Amino acid sequence: MHELWISSVGAFLTTAAFLPQAVLTIRTRDTSGISLVTYLMLVIGVSFWLVYGLMIMAWPIIIANAVTLVTGGTILTLKILGMRKGDAHSPPGE
Amino acid sequence: MHELWISSVGAFLTTAAFLPQAVLTIRTRDTSGISLVTYLMLVIGVSFWLVYGLMIMAWPIIIANAVTLVTGGTILTLKILGMRKGDAHSPPGE
């Protein structure tokens, strides 16, 4: 009986979670402590989930992963731009 | 036919994604560019997913969210510790 709202809250939080990070990174451009590999894996991972959602036409999966693709993609882009300017901690391979 | 391996790759990547960030943050303690709100939402969100997985006894959901709870929880803890030492960009409310 409670499964629906518990999974909906989980889905909302894990989807919306990256919005504050995207806003903070846009505002501060402080990317030295952000892991390039994490956001590469996240963006590729949600892309697979998005393809999966489209294959089975599951709108909750499509919407959740499209949102995370945008926010995660924004953070990844700012991280790569930051590395080009030589941010402190992440050597290109990190 | 392809749905299974596509969702499995997505699940693996989005679960394992936070391990590099946890390792980088443990190594550098550079938390100024990390959003407190993001990791609060992520940790609470995967906790809901974990409860959901336990309710329906779905092992893939249980394992994936338990892993993310550990890695996300590690990053959140280091972020809070960093704020106590006054890391640059995130005022306590951020």
Side-chain angles (χ1 to χ4, degrees):
Chain A
M1 195 185 73
H2 295 296
E3 287 90 345
L4 181 61
W5 73 264
I6 286 178
S7 58
S8 306
V9 171
F12 173 76
L13 286 171
T14 49
T15 298
F18 298 97
L19 190 58
Q21 180 68 67
V23 169
L24 181 68
T25 308
I26 290 169
R27 225 165 31 85
T28 66
R29 298 300 165 111
D30 180 353
T31 57
S32 61
I34 291 174
S35 165
L36 172 70
V37 177
T38 281
Y39 282 91
L40 277 173
M41 290 173 75
L42 189 68
V43 166
I44 296 168
V46 299
S47 303
F48 271 87
W49 274 120
L50 189 52
V51 167
Y52 173 71
L54 290 167
M55 289 174 86
I56 61 171
M57 279 320 288
W59 282 105
I61 294 179
I62 294 168
I63 294 166
N65 288 283
V67 167
T68 308
L69 188 58
V70 170
T71 51
T74 302
I75 299 162
L76 178 60
T77 305
L78 292 171
K79 173 63 187 177
I80 292 168
L81 292 176
M83 287 170 67
R84 284 205 182 144
K85 284 186 208 142
D87 67 11
H89 289 294
S90 40
E94 184 58 54
Chain B
M1 194 185 73
H2 295 296
E3 288 91 346
L4 181 61
W5 73 265
I6 286 178
S7 58
S8 305
V9 171
F12 172 76
L13 286 171
T14 50
T15 298
F18 298 97
L19 190 58
Q21 180 69 67
V23 169
L24 182 68
T25 307
I26 289 168
R27 221 164 33 84
T28 65
R29 300 298 165 112
D30 179 353
T31 57
S32 60
I34 291 175
S35 165
L36 172 70
V37 177
T38 281
Y39 282 90
L40 277 173
M41 290 174 75
L42 188 69
V43 166
I44 296 168
V46 299
S47 304
F48 271 87
W49 274 120
L50 189 53
V51 167
Y52 173 72
L54 289 168
M55 288 173 87
I56 61 169
M57 280 318 291
W59 282 104
I61 294 178
I62 294 167
I63 293 167
N65 289 283
V67 167
T68 309
L69 188 58
V70 171
T71 52
T74 302
I75 299 162
L76 178 61
T77 305
L78 292 171
K79 173 63 188 177
I80 292 168
L81 292 176
M83 288 170 66
R84 284 203 180 146
K85 286 187 207 140
D87 68 10
H89 289 295
S90 40
E94 184 58 53

